[in-house]
Amino acid sequence: MLAGGAAAVVAIVVAAVVVVWGGSSPEQPAADGAAADDPGAVATRFLAAFGQGDANAAAALTDDPRAAALTLGDARRGLAPESVSARLRQVTPGAARATASFQVAWTLAAGRVWSYDNTLDLVSVDGHWLVHWSPAVVHPKLRAGRVLAVRTPAGRTAVADRNGRPVLTWQAGGPQPVAPQAAGLLTPALQRTATERSPGGWSVVSTDPDGAAPETLFGQGEVEATPLTTTLSLPTQAAAQRAVDSAGAPAMLVAIQPSTGDLLAVAQNAAAGTGPSALNGLYAPGSTFKIVTAAALLESGTATADTVAGCPATARIGQRTIPNDDQFAYPPLPLHSAFAHSCNTTFAQLASALPADALATAASRFGLNADFTVPGITTETGKVVASANSAEQVESAIGQGTVQASPFGLALMAATVARGGAVTPRLWQELATQVNTGYQAPPAPVIAALRTMMREVVTGGTATGLRGAGDVHGKTGTAQFGDGSRANGWFAGYRDDVAFAVLLVGADSSKPAVDVSSVFLNGLG
């Protein structure tokens, strides 16, 4: 009858006992009266206290209360669970010893549940049933002198900049920037790529109290995720952000290292919005496109840098009247001077003699018709097609009409001149850029002439505001949009191994873009 009665008690326990800590608390178990309890009832009370996180109450039901209380308390502190459930499965009774199987589930965070089966040994001491204490009561592999801990990537670097400085670190909600403007506009792209590349692993380990010699008890995914390295430079990004924030209009800036193609910075101010227009927004490039037009003239033999041509206030070419900004005029002057002063009429007249596809072909040599797949971001360089008629040809020659480019595309154009060869942009050291449509840079003599002409823009042309910023080469641009009453301002150029493009939307002049460029370059030191 004793065995049968015990079995009946067990059946009830197995069907009914599920204890959860972290929700509403059931009645606290107590050791009082334990002497009259059978092993199933003691196991039930122990698991109830264990599930609730009441280390003292659970320890009082063991044959070593002091050791049990310490170990149970350490387990709670080490795992910091949101809730714990303990389910009694089966009790196997005996005269002086009994066993009870149970299942534990620790909910450590959303989507992180550690569950396992375990066994309690119960002993009868002077007529009292008690849980025989061992660290294995908490987990079968837990040993004396060891503690439990959860390991995640939290606090580790998710993305580092080109110099190894943290840009994003792993946090509970995923990779987060170390500072609000650390990566600026590119933060979502870096977060998305880091998340896609990381398994988001976590594990439960048993360690020495100082965290040494960990033994993994449970794991999901890789915890020691290797950081990704972006090509961004945190100092360059900070300088770019300060520069666009200094503008009084929507402003964008993209910087590329010509020697490597590395994206060094991508910045927009609040007025420019949160969409990545700096990378894929297409705009008329205005006179910055004269870099392309000059290359077409030079490579075709239509003109050299010293060819003298007129620069009237306006020029009637076919059905199109082309004016200079504010209708300024110069006596006939060399092409390099017309470039420095941005004479629309000079370039429109000379380009009208070029073949219909000449500007599109030249634009392709600077990457403005190239296409790349850069992991994490969507880029557009530009769109320049063969002219359909003479009116389109002269408009395209001065960067208006159907010609379009992005700040990213013009930074690539400037980088091509600086390098003297094609540039493949990239955002990651570990992840390659896929070249869908590549390009070949203009011949070396053309590049050499363009460098001299772009330097003259700064020393004695439309960008003299940059004369104190070092050995800067570049080209300004103003491009009408909409009904023609407003214009965007541009500067595209390079200094040393940094090429960049600046766009100010609705600035109505290139001077604000030159000012932003000055803030950027001076911020680089």
Side-chain angles (χ1 to χ4, degrees), residues 345-362:
T345 53
T346 304
F347 278 82
Q349 290 177 97
L350 291 173
S352 65
L354 293 172
D357 64 348
L359 295 178
T361 299

Side-chain angles (χ1 to χ4, degrees), residues 25-123:
S25 297
E27 182 181 352
Q28 294 287 335
D32 294 343
D37 285 335
D38 58 61
V42 172
T44 299
R45 291 178 178 177
F46 176 84
L47 293 178
F50 177 73
Q52 292 175 66
D54 190 339
N56 290 330
L61 293 164
T62 73
D63 58 3
D64 192 348
R66 183 176 180 278
L70 288 173
T71 302
L72 290 169
D74 286 344
R76 288 282 170 167
R77 285 186 291 273
L79 298 179
E82 292 182 355
S83 65
V84 179
S85 69
R87 181 191 296 269
L88 183 63
R89 289 190 177 279
Q90 182 176 352
V91 177
T92 303
R97 302 186 69 89
T99 59
S101 62
F102 64 99
Q103 184 184 60
V104 178
W106 303 74
T107 300
L108 305 174
R112 294 179 183 170
V113 178
W114 179 37
S115 62
Y116 53 88
D117 294 325
N118 204 358
T119 302
L120 292 177
D121 288 327
L122 297 107
V123 295

Side-chain angles (χ1 to χ4, degrees), residues 37 151 159 208 214 237 391 492 521:
D37 285 335
R151 293 284 175 90
V159 176
D208 292 340
Q237 178 66 38
L521 293 173

